[in-house]
Amino acid sequence: CLSHQGGIDMTTASGLADALVIMLTATSVFGASMVAKSNYLVLEQSSGSCAVVSFTAVDTRVDAHAHGMQRIWENNIEIFIRDTGDADTVLNRIYSAVDATLLCLESDDTIQGQVSEVVSTNIRRDRNRFVEAGGATWLPIEVQLETRELL
C-alpha cells in the first residue's frame, strides 16, 4: 500500500496483484512456483495446473449514498489446466482449481488488507478456447475479481 494525504493507505495495482499471488500460492492446488503475476512462462514449468494474475482496470468514483469516495479494482486470474488426454483427470483438475480459488478468495475478502472488500467473483470457462504453450495444450479458466477500496 502507498500512503497518501492524511496517512491513509492506498492500494497499488502491483500490491494487489502481489497479494493475490501470495494468497493463491499459499491456499490452493497450484503450488509455490505455479502462480505468477502477468508472466505466462509459468505454463512452460507446470505439469498440471497453474495461474496467472493480471491487472484489468481501476475506477475511482464518489458514491455519496453508500460509501463516499471509493476505488473499484478489477483483476483477472487465468487458471490453466494441462490437457493430459484423460478426461476424468482434466475435469477433476478443473473442479479442484475452481474450488481452491473460491476458497482462497473467500478466506480473506480484504486480499491481505489491500482492499476493503471483494465485491464480486466471476468464474467461467469457454469450452472452445485452448492455449498451446510449453509443448502442451491448456484449458484456460477465467476468474474476474472486482474489489472495493474505501478512500
Side-chain angles (χ1 to χ4, degrees):
C1 290
L2 294 176
S3 184
H4 60 82
Q5 283 189 330
I8 299 170
D9 286 338
M10 185 175 80
T11 297
T12 64
S14 181
L16 183 53
D18 287 343
L20 286 167
V21 167
I22 290 167
M23 286 177 61
L24 286 167
T25 299
T27 62
S28 74
V29 296
F30 303 114
S33 61
M34 295 300 109
V35 181
K37 183 171 78 172
S38 300
N39 185 349
Y40 290 88
L41 290 176
V42 71
L43 274 76
E44 296 184 12
Q45 302 165 353
S46 177
S47 62
S49 303
C50 58
V52 177
V53 175
S54 59
F55 169 77
T56 306
V58 63
D59 179 28
T60 302
R61 60 187 132 179
V62 175
D63 183 354
H65 299 294
H67 300 288
M69 182 69 98
Q70 62 183 340
R71 183 169 288 133
I72 303 297
W73 292 91
E74 294 177 18
N75 284 83
N76 194 43
I77 301 167
E78 290 178 283
I79 300 169
F80 294 94
I81 308 297
R82 188 179 193 134
D83 186 354
T84 62
D86 179 343
D88 288 337
T89 298
V90 171
L91 284 173
N92 285 334
R93 285 182 177 175
I94 289 171
Y95 295 135
S96 293
V98 168
D99 290 346
T101 302
L102 282 173
L103 288 172
C104 169
L105 296 173
E106 290 169 355
S107 72
D108 178 4
D109 70 347
T110 68
I111 315 295
Q112 295 194 329
Q114 293 289 315
V115 296
S116 302
E117 64 182 339
V118 172
V119 177
S120 68
T121 304
N122 183 314
I123 301 176
R124 68 182 63 214
R125 178 178 165 280
D126 179 348
R127 293 180 180 202
N128 297 314
R129 184 172 171 236
F130 300 91
V131 174
E132 298 290 332
T137 301
W138 298 86
L139 290 76
I141 300 167
E142 186 175 338
V143 180
Q144 296 172 332
L145 181 67
E146 184 177 280
T147 58
R148 179 186 340 261
E149 174 190 12
L150 301 179
L151 303 175

